[in-house]
Amino acid sequence: MPILDVITSLAIETITHSVQTLLLIGFAALLRFYFASYGYPHLHYWSLACLSYGASELTRVVTGAMAITQPLQINELAAFTNSLALTLQYLAIVYIGIGTYSAVGKQLPRRSLRYLGYSLALMGGLISLMLLEPSVSLHTSQSDSGVMRFLVPGTLFVAIGLPMWFNVKEGIGPRLIAFGFLFVAAKNFVVVGANITMTSPALDWVLSVQAVFTVIFLAIVMLGIIIWLLESERSNSIHAIQRAEYLHTHDALTGVSNRSQLVSKIPLLIDFCRTNGRQLTVCLIGISRFKSVNESFGIKGGDLVLKEVARRLQHFDKTPLSVARISGDVFAVVFDHLKSRQLINDLGGELQDTLSAPIAIGEKNLSISVGVGISRYPQHGTNAEVLLNKATIALTESKRQHQASVVFYERGMDDEFTQLMDMEPVLRRAFQDDEFLLYLQPQFDFDHQQLCGFEALIRWQHPERGLLAPAEFLPYIEQLGLSETLDTWVLDKAANILTRWTAEFNHCWPIAVNLSAQQFQHFQLIEQLQSLVQKHNITPASLELEITETVAMSDLHNGMSVINKLRNLGFNVAIDDFGTGHSSLAYLRSLPISKIKIDRSFVRELQINRTDATILKAMIRLAHGLGKRVIAEGIETEDQQTILQQLGCDMMQGYFYAPPMRVELAEQLIEAELNEGRKPLPGSLAAATH
């Protein structure tokens, strides 16, 4: 074997290190580009590894070039430059390890471990500075340089390559990278063995040409990374396509089928039922007052409720053929095992019981109620859209009732539903165009024979039909869920009137506003009223709040809590339509109200039905005993007034005194009262004494 002189050896090493430097810097730039495009952390650390490795090779290139041209001067710096090159090489290996861990484990190692790796790389460089002899070539110090330059990196590359080979099961790219690490490790171990067993000139040739295998290693790793990125991109594209196909047929939040999937599935179920003599049952389930759930617990809380409802329906003991979410808070379940109407009705009740069990949201438990609308094949239709539309109509009918119920579609519901749907845009436009008017009906005090307040009543100034009474549009507002919108409008108008009266007359007669069940049960009612008082600068006592007896009794505990909060803020609360509920006298003492309003049905029959008079007498005495005032509405004759006065009623309201009137006429009545020297009664809305 020919002898390799020092200059030739240095030239070979310098050329191979130059090639490696160019490859590494170019590859680092390519990895930075891919990192900017894909954002994968391992690409960032691998680009740093290439830069660090390239800097190490560049140090060797500069050292080798200076050694060839100025052999005497460079020899003294050889130990420092070699240790710097080794430090950069160790740092590159640390970056490779961090990047590989991130690529395989889908997360970066802890920061403390990363800093430990950096520290070990620096420590390895310092140790090499102390151990290496001052030489520009590694030929002269075989054992030390072999351990520091080849054995340590080879061991580290095995530690990186083997886990990667066994943990990444799919794709050619990761296997190529792992093979490259193991290949260069094997090359390093061969060089270490040559350092121990060989002597010049064979060793000189091994040390000079080993860098060629490092270039091969770089080419393998570069090819592996590019293939891995292409495979990853293809995998992501396939996953995105699969996800899009899934979302096309499934609800993204709950994972159950969506409306489109249900519509495509129902014809298959109908064919099965037709062939096997079965009847298909489509149940639509709507969550009552779901909007208040979102407002109380936030969107995330509402999402948790929807997920739990979907889960319970999927695991319902009468396993449905299909479960789907067809709109925001409406689910569909399909069965085919029941023919009897009563059994289906019982099934609807079981669904309600299953879904009404408390749902944990954080540290709180929430119980929901649901309405169920049912349509059946073949009785109500023979295709998916018809069955779903019939079930939707039945569900709408179930929500119209005060308590959520199970409703079967019945012939004739379509006409009312169509009319309701036609009314929705008209009513919303009426709100937008401010077509509603606030009328005021006076209330009079018996003892003082003077005006003591007003009740706010709504009218609709229809652009084509003229002035409409509440009976012509309030049912539609309630069915369409617009009661809260109307209540908010009335409260704001009433507060605005009170503000104007205070400024114009220096006095203020209270106005009573009736709250719907939706508004009274709204969790933000207290905050809304506080904001209203501050906005219009009115006293809470000037705005009396009326709730019907049915609403107050539907949830007595919650009702008492809300009324107490309102009373503490200074609002007076009255019970409207008193006497129509089944527990009026039993629960009257429990409600912290200031006034009861006797329903007009008792007053209407007062002259011909002595039983009504007896009942009214008991009501009035009980109310007075509990410190509550009594007002009767619907008084139309003098005889009715006389009887009620004899029974001890405190206040009167009805057409006998004055009909509902525009605000301008109400203000004229106020001016007449003031001209007669009659001012608002300070105790006209006295609070309850208990």
Side-chain angles (χ1 to χ4, degrees), residues 151-202:
L151 181 59
V152 174
T155 304
L156 293 175
F157 279 128
V158 170
I160 295 172
L162 283 178
M164 191 172 185
W165 180 272
F166 290 109
N167 289 327
V168 181
K169 302 297 183 183
E170 299 179 357
I172 299 174
R175 290 294 180 90
L176 270 178
I177 297 172
F179 173 76
F181 290 150
L182 296 175
F183 173 81
V184 78
K187 183 268 296 183
N188 280 13
F189 293 148
V190 169
V191 174
V192 170
N195 261 293
I196 297 173
T197 60
M198 291 184 179
T199 59
S200 296

Side-chain angles (χ1 to χ4, degrees), residues 393-407:
I393 293 170
L395 178 61
T396 302
E397 182 67 23
S398 105
K399 288 187 174 182
R400 290 176 57 185
Q401 305 178 18
H402 184 66
Q403 296 292 337
S405 58
V406 179
V407 175

Side-chain angles (χ1 to χ4, degrees), residues 131-147:
L131 295 181
L132 283 179
E133 297 178 6
S135 172
V136 297
S137 178
L138 296 176
H139 301 13
T140 57
S141 181
Q142 296 177 3
S143 59
D144 290 344
S145 63
V147 171

Side-chain angles (χ1 to χ4, degrees), residues 324-340:
R325 181 186 176 203
I326 63 172
S327 66
D329 61 349
V330 177
F331 291 82
V333 287
V334 183
F335 301 91
D336 71 339
H337 65 287
L338 297 174
K339 290 186 177 181
S340 165

Side-chain angles (χ1 to χ4, degrees), residues 63-340:
T63 303
M66 293 182 65
I68 295 173
T69 57
Q70 302 174 7
L72 297 178
Q73 289 83 352
I74 194 59
N75 199 52
E76 297 178 355
L77 298 174
F80 173 76
T81 55
N82 281 331
S83 62
L84 176 61
L86 284 174
T87 302
L88 292 170
Q89 184 178 344
Y90 295 155
L91 185 61
I93 295 173
V94 171
Y95 284 137
I96 291 173
I98 294 173
T100 304
Y101 184 94
S102 173
V104 175
K106 306 301 182 183
Q107 62 179 356
L108 288 171
R110 293 195 303 270
R111 182 176 297 180
S112 58
L113 292 178
R114 283 179 274 162
Y115 287 158
L116 177 61
Y118 304 149
S119 301
L120 291 175
L122 181 60
M123 189 180 301
L126 293 175
I127 293 173
S128 68
L129 181 61
M130 292 184 291
L131 295 181
L132 283 179
E133 297 178 6
S135 172
V136 297
S137 178
L138 296 176
H139 301 13
T140 57
S141 181
Q142 296 177 3
S143 59
D144 290 344
S145 63
V147 171
M148 300 300 291
R149 185 179 176 188
F150 298 105
L151 181 59
V152 174
T155 304
L156 293 175
F157 279 128
V158 170
I160 295 172
L162 283 178
M164 191 172 185
W165 180 272
F166 290 109
N167 289 327
V168 181
K169 302 297 183 183
E170 299 179 357
I172 299 174
R175 290 294 180 90
L176 270 178
I177 297 172
F179 173 76
F181 290 150
L182 296 175
F183 173 81
V184 78
K187 183 268 296 183
N188 280 13
F189 293 148
V190 169
V191 174
V192 170
N195 261 293
I196 297 173
T197 60
M198 291 184 179
T199 59
S200 296
L203 179 58
D204 293 338
W205 279 101
V206 170
L207 293 173
S208 297
V209 301
Q210 57 84 25
V212 175
F213 293 93
T214 304
V215 173
I216 296 173
F217 153 72
L218 290 173
I220 294 173
V221 172
M222 289 170 63
L223 180 62
I225 290 177
I226 293 173
I227 293 175
W228 194 358
L229 289 173
L230 293 175
E231 290 175 337
S232 177
E233 185 67 17
R234 180 174 176 272
S235 176
N236 289 340
S237 298
I238 293 174
H239 177 75
I241 293 172
Q242 292 173 339
R243 180 65 177 168
E245 291 176 349
Y246 176 84
L247 292 177
H248 182 68
T249 58
H250 289 76
D251 176 53
L253 176 65
T254 62
V256 299
S257 299
N258 57 18
R259 182 186 178 93
S260 175
Q261 173 78 343
L262 180 65
V263 168
S264 65
K265 188 182 293 185
I266 286 179
L268 302 177
L269 300 177
I270 289 176
D271 289 341
F272 174 80
C273 290
R274 184 186 297 116
T275 303
N276 294 275
R278 289 175 172 264
Q279 296 185 10
L280 198 69
T281 302
V282 178
C283 301
L284 290 194
I285 300 170
I287 303 174
S288 300
R289 299 194 300 275
F290 184 69
K291 179 181 177 183
S292 64
V293 175
N294 277 330
E295 291 171 340
S296 301
F297 296 93
I299 299 299
K300 290 185 178 180
D303 288 347
L304 287 175
V305 171
L306 294 174
K307 289 179 181 179
E308 179 61 18
V309 169
R311 189 194 68 80
R312 293 183 184 184
L313 292 176
Q314 287 176 299
H315 294 86
F316 186 58
D317 54 1
K318 308 290 193 306
T319 307
L321 298 175
S322 180
V323 176
R325 181 186 176 203
I326 63 172
S327 66
D329 61 349
V330 177
F331 291 82
V333 287
V334 183
F335 301 91
D336 71 339
H337 65 287
L338 297 174
K339 290 186 177 181
S340 165

